[in-house]
Amino acid sequence: AVAGSLLTFLTLICCNQSNLIGSIGSMSMEIASMSDEAPLLEASFSSKQQSESEKPLQIASYSSCLQPSVPRNDEPYSLQWIYALFSTIVSDEHGDAHNVCRGIFSILIVGTLLGLFLPKSSHLNGQWYPLISSILGYTYFCCWSASFYPQLLQNYRRKSTEGLSIDFCVLQVFGCACYASLNLALAWSNTIQELYRERHQGSTSLVEPNDVAFSIHSLLLSMIWLWQVWYYNGCNFRNRAVSRLTIILLSVIVATFLVYAVMIATCHKEDGTLLNWLDFLYVVTGFKIGIILVSYLPQAVLNSRLGSTEGWNIWGILLDFTGGVLSILQLFLDSWNQQDWTGITGDAAKFGLGLVSIAFDMVFFVQHYILYPKHGG
């Protein structure tokens, strides 16, 4: 989760440095111009009028670092380049080709650095492939993790969540909780790991450390989305109530989980042939993919109803699409490296999540760039 916040941390540093330089430069030029024009001012010009005339300058100088800004000539070129590179994702809301290339390149830089210096998977073969897999894994981890921040920061800038479906946020929280429980169990539960090896002829799970980090990080950020909907709606959900269909769907899923867990606890055999917790996690995986599939529908319907993608940040979709492609690529390459293609079916959540994300991202691309290009596109 800490590694996933690295991109936003670097962006805020660049933004703060840029605004600090801009503020000092603007204030210096204003002081110089006031000194040059002082002899020409009318004697009747009061100090109160002077203070009022300076207010627009001060407001412009101390503009928020989250707003897009034009690089100034008095800034060093390297600072302009770094600021423009790492602030694109959180400042751009339209997703034109130039900004897309620049933003994706910044993600590749961060993912490569994390892949180089963070621990690699010990079960992969070869001298160089563990490094390649690590770079792919942490790059898709950065893409999927960073995809939550543009919407979060856009909500903060607008002080509103209009255009963001509350059903989408609720389903995202529930789906991320399912995905986190699956990855945590496959990574750290000895019981689940043993059941997995028995099921897949001694093969180990292909869940990587970055999978666990992403699932926890995405759960936290999706919860913040839901909190923003509540907070910017006057600390209540009166005008943004969750639909009855969503409530019924989640109630059925939770009831299914409880019934299955009780059956495992009461009917479990020692040889594990009847019911076991690995099968329970696979059921959770199936519901997770189904929840993600359903969660995109309310947002797509809302965009269609409004005839606009205003309030729905396209960068979340761009990063989600890139992360889905890299996730599937890593999974196939890891299976090829171990000559064990059951790793794909054994980690169906990762494979299914990537495919579903890519499919629905294409729908949002069509809405943003083709159907409603003049409204938020």
Side-chain angles (χ1 to χ4, degrees):
V2 175
S5 303
L6 178 61
L7 178 63
T8 302
F9 177 72
L10 293 175
T11 302
L12 293 178
I13 291 178
C14 296
C15 292
N16 289 333
Q17 290 179 347
S18 176
N19 283 329
L20 179 60
I21 294 174
S23 301
I24 296 174
S26 299
M27 293 172 64
S28 301
M29 289 187 289
E30 177 65 13
I31 294 173
S33 62
M34 290 175 61
S35 301
D36 295 338
E37 297 174 1
L40 303 178
L41 295 176
E42 295 290 336
S44 62
F45 194 70
S46 63
S47 59
K48 181 179 179 179
Q49 292 173 324
Q50 291 178 359
S51 62
E52 291 179 353
S53 65
E54 292 170 1
K55 287 182 180 179
L57 171 66
Q58 295 174 358
I59 295 175
S61 299
Y62 292 98
S63 59
S64 171
C65 70
L66 297 178
Q67 297 290 343
S69 62
V70 179
R72 302 178 180 87
N73 294 330
D74 58 341
E75 294 180 359
Y77 177 77
S78 58
L79 183 60
Q80 293 183 23
W81 187 84
I82 294 175
Y83 168 67
L85 182 66
F86 286 98
S87 66
T88 301
I89 294 175
V90 295
S91 62
D92 175 54
E93 297 181 5
H94 301 292
D96 59 85
H98 177 71
N99 286 330
V100 168
C101 293
R102 188 163 56 185
I104 297 300
F105 181 66
S106 66
I107 288 287
L108 293 177
I109 292 177
V110 176
T112 301
L113 292 176
L114 293 177
L116 287 173
F117 295 106
L118 291 181
K120 284 75 176 174
S121 298
S122 58
H123 62 270
L124 296 176
N125 302 319
Q127 180 178 1
W128 293 102
Y129 181 73
L131 175 61
I132 296 174
S133 178
S134 179
I135 292 176
L136 287 174
Y138 281 105
T139 302
Y140 99 73
F141 160 73
C142 289
C143 287
W144 275 357
S145 299
S147 67
F148 289 87
Y149 286 97
Q151 185 67 54
L152 184 150
L153 296 176
Q154 179 174 308
N155 296 339
Y156 173 77
R157 287 196 299 265
R158 298 168 65 236
K159 298 296 185 292
S160 171
T161 56
E162 293 297 329
L164 178 63
S165 172
I166 186 173
D167 292 275
F168 170 77
C169 295
V170 171
L171 291 171
Q172 277 286 323
V173 171
F174 194 84
C176 290
C178 292
Y179 190 49
S181 62
L182 170 69
N183 284 330
L184 288 171
L186 287 175
W188 290 329
S189 173
N190 294 329
T191 301
I192 298 299
Q193 291 175 354
E194 182 63 28
L195 290 172
Y196 186 93
R197 284 191 290 267
E198 293 177 1
R199 180 73 57 84
H200 298 281
Q201 293 80 41
S203 300
T204 58
S205 171
L206 295 180
V207 172
E208 306 289 350
N210 51 268
D211 296 324
V212 179
F214 163 73
S215 60
I216 297 175
H217 180 265
S218 62
L219 176 60
L220 294 176
L221 268 293
S222 59
M223 293 173 65
I224 294 178
W225 277 10
L226 188 59
W227 175 83
Q228 285 183 320
V229 175
W230 172 81
Y231 180 78
Y232 292 129
N233 196 49
C235 297
N236 62 72
F237 290 111
R238 294 174 185 173
N239 300 327
R240 302 288 301 277
V242 181
S243 67
R244 291 183 179 180
L245 183 60
T246 299
I247 295 176
I248 294 174
L249 175 64
L250 294 182
S251 300
V252 171
I253 293 175
V254 171
T256 303
F257 287 169
L258 292 177
V259 171
Y260 204 111
V262 171
M263 291 175 62
I264 293 176
T266 57
C267 304
H268 177 67
K269 292 183 178 180
E270 294 183 357
D271 57 2
T273 56
L274 184 60
L275 294 173
N276 57 56
W277 290 109
L278 181 62
D279 292 325
F280 175 79
L281 289 177
Y282 285 154
V283 172
V284 172
T285 299
F287 278 114
K288 159 63 180 175
I289 298 175
I291 290 171
I292 292 298
L293 180 63
V294 174
S295 67
Y296 284 110
L297 289 176
Q299 188 63 53
V301 171
L302 181 61
N303 293 342
S304 178
R305 184 182 304 166
L306 297 175
S308 169
T309 56
E310 186 71 26
W312 173 247
N313 196 292
I314 189 60
W315 268 102
I317 302 302
L318 290 167
L319 294 173
D320 190 55
F321 178 82
T322 306
V325 172
L326 294 178
S327 171
I328 294 177
L329 178 62
Q330 185 201 38
L331 190 60
F332 270 96
L333 291 179
D334 284 357
S335 298
W336 171 79
N337 177 263
Q338 290 193 314
Q339 295 299 307
D340 178 21
W341 299 102
T342 60
I344 297 176
T345 57
D347 197 0
K350 183 176 180 179
F351 182 65
L353 184 61
L355 287 181
V356 171
S357 298
I358 291 173
F360 264 96
D361 290 341
M362 298 301 294
V363 174
F364 288 117
F365 287 152
V366 171
Q367 285 186 326
H368 186 80
Y369 290 108
I370 299 176
L371 296 181
Y372 319 121
K374 296 181 181 180
H375 304 280

